[in-house]
Amino acid sequence: MGHTASNKDDLLKRVKRIAGQIQAVERALESDADCAKTLHLVAATRGAINGLMDEIIEDHAREHVASPTLSDEERNKGVEELLEAIRRYSK
């Protein structure tokens, strides 16, 4: 995914925040934290992952589906890759 290079630092910051959120969930489970608190941590983590996924999907769509410089073959490949990711994501 070479086109993410321009956005690489922002994406990595998001991933590191998500890793921190996952660690918070782990600590909550290890310390037998209140289930409501743990649910909020998991929900926040899911939201962060969804946001990351949305951004990468949008980047992929713009670069590998909508770009006017693509051939029909490249565009079709981009669509198939996008659909496969969406199918896996929505399960």
Side-chain angles (χ1 to χ4, degrees), residues 18 21 25 37-51:
I18 291 167
Q21 289 173 301
V25 171
K37 177 184 177 183
T38 305
L39 284 170
H40 286 278
L41 290 169
V42 171
T45 303
R46 183 178 183 186
I49 290 172
N50 287 344

Side-chain angles (χ1 to χ4, degrees), residues 13-71:
K13 285 177 189 174
R14 290 180 83 146
V15 169
K16 288 177 183 181
R17 281 193 301 269
I18 291 167
Q21 289 173 301
I22 292 290
Q23 290 172 351
V25 171
E26 182 179 14
R27 285 190 303 272
L29 292 170
E30 286 175 343
S31 68
D32 295 324
D34 179 65
C35 62
K37 177 184 177 183
T38 305
L39 284 170
H40 286 278
L41 290 169
V42 171
T45 303
R46 183 178 183 186
I49 290 172
N50 287 344
L52 176 65
M53 185 70 169
D54 290 346
E55 187 169 344
I56 295 173
I57 284 173
E58 182 177 335
D59 287 348
H60 183 86
R62 290 185 192 285
E63 293 293 325
H64 299 285
V65 178
S67 176
T69 62
L70 296 172
S71 68

